Amino acid sequence: MRASVAPMRVPPRRSVGTQRDRNAPGRGAVVRMCPVCHLTYHEGEERCLVDGADLEEVEDERIGTVLGGRYVLEEVLGEGGMATVYRARHNLVDRPCAVKILHPELSKDATLRERLRREARSAAAISHPNVVEIYDFGETPSGEPYLVMELLDGVSLRALVGEPMALDQVVDLGTQIAAGLARAHDLGVVHRDLKPENVFVVQSDEGPLVKLVDFGLAYARRESRLTATGQIVGTPPYMAPERFKTADVTAAADLYALGILLYEMAAGRLPFDSNNVAGFVLAHLEDVPPRLEGVPAGLADLVADLLKKKPEERPVDAHQVAQRLSRLRAGRQKTELKITTRRSLPRVLVTLDRWVGRIPVYEELLRRAYPDGAPAELEEHLAEMRAALARLRTLRNVAMEAQRELEELEAETVATRERLGHAVHVLAVDLSASRAAAKRLADSMSELEDAAAEHAVDWRTADAQLARLREPGGTPGEAEVHAARRAQAALEAWHDSAVGLAERAGRLRAAEDRERDLSFQVEALRKRLERVEAEFDEEAEASRGRLADNGVERRKLEMRIVWLASKVSAPLRDRPELRSLFDRIEAA
């Protein structure tokens, strides 16, 4: 058996997806940024007009822009087929976050726009430690939908599955994946695209923490489907057999994908291998996966159960999977996982506080440069800077108040989500136990039915041997005596089986009644949570709108201040006696 404790491999980070060619058709003009103050410039400028630093070219024209009046885009984290993900910062509360923006060429597709909206709603409603947290959703000024989520600092599971992982790592991460799926399924959300790229592993105080991401293909039972009939949406190596037969996808499909993940984590390879989609389809539909070797029987059995071809033969739900994995984890030493924290970028420095500190320096700059009085135009520029800063201060206070209102509403909604989520979890665990009990009873009844049928055949066979005794003058011989004994034994066994079937049928009805009752309660909580989400969206919309409008005006004022500062600085920057003042401006 493989040793249970081994160092976890943490490869260097790589951007998700492929980088877009900067010269590709449709890409905007090259953007340059000041490395000191983070102001952005387009082609034609070589130095920052404020602090004189040489500009650096950035790969994406969105860098430095502000979305929703609050989210400043700082760098590209990764790019996929549907969207680009940026590292960003909430400029009112100084909180790092990630912003996912749908590609412009896809933004006109109503289906894809709805898919991103669904990802925001699905993940936000789940509210679970093992599911990425969604903060906000909106549209860029040019109409591309975006969502704002927690910034995950770690690696995807894809980076860890190139070779067999240590057993404790497989069990620990697998338990967390199952827990995240359990909460999603409890709320009626099926992920539909569970794969290593959509499982992120980050470092927490308690150790490795799994975050399920990309619910863009998720299907909630309350919502209409987005795929056309016959269209396959997902990743073939991880898709359950029924995904290729019907559009009616259930939580069991996610469990099958989890089985593939556990197999790949434990073995370092997929259970099925193919170089084309058709090969994977046939393998999922027809081939029996090889049994995992070199792992405890409990893990091999669980993976085999998860990879059953028929959904009803898999574990009843993700709660049961998490419980079985937890039993394997008990008493095992955990592997330490160290993930290097991504370098924190400097804050965007075009802020109110920075410019308030610069004004006295600009005043001194004009006094030194023009002892007899500065030109009227420069004095007017400086006066306008003061007025703009006063207006900017007022706008920021208004924005902070709107942000506080929104945060209070968010905190109340999060608390309600957590309370309802906990209630759903408690009921769902009981529901899982009821389902498992009902399944065990149904399986045992099937065995009893088979046994009863065998006893009936035995009785009829023995009874047929006694047929001649019913004829006139028939007398029993040794064979008839043995046949009578066999008939009696078969009849008693048949009777016992019938009694057992009746007793278990009653227990099964009781279990099914309890399952229906628990399902009703869970569904009621789901609907209540849906109402909470709808009410939050409605109430938050006004605050978001005010913040967005406020942010647009603040951004215009900031750019105006920069322009005014450049006009004041330009004629004076090359004077050596003023160098110390410009150094103070840059350091402010």
Side-chain angles (χ1 to χ4, degrees):
M1 181 180 297
R2 190 188 316 115
S4 62
V5 179
M8 177 172 275
R9 298 168 289 101
V10 183
R13 284 179 182 77
R14 292 177 294 178
S15 295
V16 179
T18 57
Q19 290 296 322
R20 188 182 296 179
D21 183 356
R22 70 177 58 189
N23 297 315
R27 188 171 181 85
V30 173
V31 177
R32 291 181 169 85
M33 176 179 287
C34 173
V36 177
C37 68
H38 278 198
L39 284 175
T40 55
Y41 298 83
H42 289 282
E43 289 182 283
E45 300 288 351
E46 299 295 336
R47 302 183 69 194
C48 179
L49 299 177
V50 176
D51 50 45
D54 291 334
L55 302 181
E56 297 178 353
E57 191 172 307
V58 295
E59 296 183 356
D60 193 298
E61 61 185 0
R62 291 195 183 111
I63 299 300
T65 60
V66 182
L67 299 180
R70 292 167 288 168
Y71 309 111
V72 184
L73 304 185
E74 295 182 337
E75 70 168 327
V76 176
L77 291 179
E79 187 171 354
M82 280 184 57
T84 301
V85 180
Y86 297 84
R87 180 189 177 101
R89 185 172 295 277
H90 192 307
N91 64 8
L92 292 178
V93 296
D94 196 28
R95 178 179 67 192
C97 55
V99 176
K100 182 177 183 178
I101 305 178
L102 195 65
H103 291 326
E105 61 270 22
L106 302 178
S107 296
K108 295 180 181 179
D109 188 318
T111 297
L112 296 179
R113 292 172 66 89
E114 174 64 13
R115 191 167 287 166
L116 198 67
R117 183 200 67 83
R118 174 172 292 178
E119 177 175 358
R121 294 192 64 181
S122 297
I126 292 169
S127 187
H128 188 273
N130 295 123
V131 175
V132 66
E133 185 176 358
I134 301 296
Y135 300 137
D136 203 355
F137 180 82
E139 288 189 0
T140 68
S142 52
E144 294 90 14
Y146 68 84
L147 59 85
V148 184
M149 67 190 87
E150 66 176 310
L151 182 65
L152 301 179
D153 193 5
V155 295
S156 76
L157 187 60
R158 170 59 64 203
L160 304 175
V161 294
E163 60 186 56
M165 297 172 64
L167 177 61
D168 68 298
Q169 298 165 4
V170 176
V171 172
D172 180 37
L173 300 184
T175 302
Q176 295 186 58
I177 296 171
L181 286 178
R183 174 60 63 84
H185 295 168
D186 290 345
L187 298 179
V189 177
V190 181
H191 191 287
R192 299 207 306 168
D193 196 24
L194 186 64
K195 57 184 178 181
E197 289 81 357
N198 289 338
V199 178
F200 223 76
V201 184
V202 302
Q203 185 67 47
S204 72
D205 293 339
E206 290 75 31
L209 177 65
V210 163
K211 292 282 187 177
L212 301 183
V213 302
D214 200 351
F215 279 74
L217 297 184
Y219 168 64
R221 291 189 297 178
R222 64 183 179 274
E223 297 178 317
S224 60
R225 290 181 176 81
L226 299 179
T227 54
T229 302
Q231 182 181 5
I232 296 177
V233 178
T235 306
Y238 302 90
M239 292 173 66
E242 63 270 20
R243 295 286 308 277
F244 304 108
K245 298 178 181 179
T246 176
D248 188 16
V249 179
T250 67
D254 282 350
L255 298 187
Y256 184 92
L258 175 55
I260 300 286
L261 286 184
L262 290 173
Y263 194 107
E264 190 173 9
M265 293 163 68
R269 57 181 173 80
L270 292 167
F272 305 118
D273 188 23
S274 177
N275 56 10
N276 57 66
V277 173
F280 280 114
V281 173
L282 290 174
H284 288 307
L285 289 172
E286 299 178 0
D287 295 349
V288 176
R291 184 175 174 84
L292 273 177
E293 297 179 352
V295 300
L299 179 58
D301 290 343
L302 174 59
V303 171
D305 290 343
L306 288 167
L307 296 183
K308 295 288 187 182
K309 302 300 183 187
K310 296 180 179 179
E312 63 271 17
E313 294 180 353
R314 297 170 201 152
V316 293
D317 54 31
H319 288 286
Q320 189 182 57
V321 177
Q323 290 168 3
R324 291 174 66 173
L325 285 169
S326 294
R327 288 196 291 269
L328 290 169
R329 184 169 58 177
R332 295 187 181 276
Q333 183 179 352
K334 293 184 66 174
T335 297
E336 183 180 5
L337 171 61
K338 292 183 178 179
I339 299 178
T340 304
T341 303
R342 178 184 286 272
R343 177 182 61 86
S344 180
L345 293 179
R347 292 178 56 187
V348 176
L349 299 179
V350 185
T351 63
L352 177 62
D353 294 337
R354 177 179 173 87
W355 283 96
V356 167
R358 280 178 162 181
I359 289 296
V361 186
Y362 276 107
E363 292 172 344
E364 185 175 350
L365 185 70
L366 292 185
R367 284 196 299 271
R368 285 196 193 179
Y370 305 102
D372 298 328
E377 183 181 22
L378 296 185
E379 290 286 5
E380 289 172 1
H381 288 335
L382 192 55
E384 187 179 347
M385 286 175 66
R386 295 190 194 96
L389 284 170
R391 174 60 179 164
L392 197 57
R393 181 182 292 107
T394 299
L395 286 172
R396 189 174 74 168
N397 290 339
V398 171
M400 290 300 295
E401 181 60 30
Q403 179 66 27
R404 278 192 291 271
E405 292 176 1
L406 186 58
E407 287 182 349
E408 289 175 2
L409 180 60
E410 288 174 342
E412 182 180 346
T413 303
V414 168
T416 303
R417 284 174 185 158
E418 292 177 350
R419 184 172 63 254
L420 292 177
H422 177 71
V424 168
H425 174 76
V426 171
L427 289 172
V429 170
D430 288 345
L431 179 58
S432 176
S434 293
R435 286 170 175 163
K439 185 176 182 180
R440 287 193 299 271
L441 283 169
D443 291 343
S444 66
M445 287 181 65
S446 178
E447 294 173 0
L448 275 177
E449 287 171 350
D450 292 341
E454 291 179 5
H455 297 322
V457 170
D458 291 344
W459 179 82
R460 291 188 179 94
T461 300
D463 185 66
Q465 294 178 353
L466 299 174
R468 73 181 189 83
L469 295 180
R470 300 187 185 96
E471 298 174 359
T475 57
E478 192 69 24
E480 284 73 23
V481 171
H482 288 303
R485 290 172 180 165
R486 289 198 305 275
Q488 181 179 359
L491 192 61
E492 290 175 351
W494 189 5
H495 172 266
D496 291 343
S497 296
V499 170
L501 277 171
E503 184 268 336
R504 294 186 190 188
R507 289 165 56 193
L508 180 59
R509 284 193 297 272
E512 289 173 341
D513 287 343
R514 177 167 174 74
E515 184 178 339
R516 279 191 293 271
D517 179 59
L518 289 169
S519 295
F520 177 82
Q521 295 180 60
V522 169
E523 186 62 29
L525 288 174
R526 286 175 181 164
K527 291 180 179 178
R528 185 176 173 187
L529 185 56
E530 289 171 21
R531 291 195 297 271
V532 168
E533 295 297 332
E535 291 169 0
F536 169 73
D537 286 342
E538 184 177 350
E539 293 182 35
E541 189 61 31
S543 294
R544 288 169 174 163
R546 290 198 301 272
L547 284 166
D549 293 341
N550 181 288
V552 170
E553 187 175 354
R554 282 189 289 120
R555 189 63 171 172
K556 288 179 179 178
L557 280 172
E558 288 176 346
M559 294 301 98
R560 180 64 179 173
I561 291 169
V562 169
W563 183 85
L564 292 168
S566 69
K567 290 299 182 182
V568 173
S569 302
L572 307 176
R573 182 170 294 282
D574 294 332
R575 293 174 58 169
E577 71 274 17
L578 302 178
R579 181 65 257 174
S580 62
L581 292 177
F582 278 105
D583 289 342
R584 287 171 58 188
I585 288 174
E586 294 171 14

